Amino acid sequence: MPYRAFVVNKTADAFTAGIESLEESSLPAGEVTIQVEWSSVNYKDGLASSANGRVVTKYPMTIGVDL
């Protein structure tokens, strides 16, 4: 079942940040899945959403610390 997530990605050539449709099958094994109806963007998410935010160390990354 697809879900929407805010994903940041950085390569040698480009930085992207935005809503993507992902598949549950792409989630890591052994994780818990919860349904979230609303969330917020906090300071750390804002930093992760910028190319030079220096918060994310591995790309692509689904951000959303507050759920």
Side-chain angles (χ1 to χ4, degrees):
M1 172 180 236
Y3 65 96
R4 295 180 336 146
F6 192 86
V7 179
V8 294
N9 197 9
K10 187 174 187 178
T11 64
D13 299 327
F15 177 84
T16 58
I19 304 289
E20 293 185 18
S21 182
L22 303 175
E23 292 292 328
E24 284 186 37
S25 61
S26 67
L27 294 171
E31 296 293 327
V32 175
T33 303
I34 61 171
Q35 183 174 350
V36 178
E37 290 192 30
W38 298 98
S39 184
S40 63
V41 176
N42 66 29
Y43 183 74
K44 190 171 182 180
D45 294 327
L47 288 175
S49 300
S50 64
N52 298 316
R54 297 171 32 189
V55 173
V56 179
T57 58
K58 182 179 174 188
Y59 293 94
M61 173 68 69
T62 300
I63 61 172
V65 175
D66 291 341
L67 293 178

